[in-house]
Amino acid sequence: MSLNHVSRLCRNVEDSSNFYTKVLGFVLIERPPAFDFAGAWLFNYGVGIHLVQSNNEDKLSPPDSAHLDPTDNHISFQCENMEAIEKRLKELDVKYIKRT
């Protein structure tokens, strides 16, 4: 019927939350307190994103990878104005890979 959420492992929940809220316009929402691991829940555009803190480097993609592997862990976003998004990413010093 619809996509409920996407769960992403991340190195730093706070840094990742800042990216999704400041760059992509997601909003932090309440996360059930029963979870015994660090994380954050975000929502916008009809999609939920669940960020999960990972301390296992083997489960995370290399941070300086210059190549996007479409079979690996990633999320793709569309935008109306690529120049504006690139400007915002540069202002926030966010590394990104541009593909069309």
Side-chain angles (χ1 to χ4, degrees), residues 9 54 56-61 72-73:
L9 294 177
S54 176
N56 184 344
E57 194 65 27
D58 291 339
K59 289 187 175 186
L60 298 166
S61 298
D72 198 3
N73 192 18

Side-chain angles (χ1 to χ4, degrees), residues 23-36:
V23 177
L24 298 177
F26 279 79
V27 176
L28 282 167
I29 60 173
E30 185 175 345
R31 183 174 178 254
F35 290 117
D36 63 352

Side-chain angles (χ1 to χ4, degrees), residues 1-2 7 9-10 14-15 18 21-22 27 29 35 37-38 48 62 66 69 76 80 85-86 89:
M1 293 177 0
S2 67
S7 185
L9 294 177
C10 57
E14 184 178 351
D15 287 348
N18 284 337
T21 58
K22 293 179 180 178
V27 176
I29 60 173
F35 290 117
F37 53 89
D69 179 353
S76 173
E80 293 180 1
I85 293 295
E86 285 186 290
L89 292 172

Side-chain angles (χ1 to χ4, degrees), residues 19 22-24 79-96 98:
F19 171 78
K22 293 179 180 178
V23 177
L24 298 177
C79 65
E80 293 180 1
N81 185 331
M82 189 63 190
E83 291 80 22
I85 293 295
E86 285 186 290
K87 180 180 180 222
R88 183 75 174 137
L89 292 172
K90 288 175 184 172
E91 288 171 356
L92 295 170
D93 198 28
V94 173
K95 294 179 184 178
Y96 64 95
K98 179 179 173 181

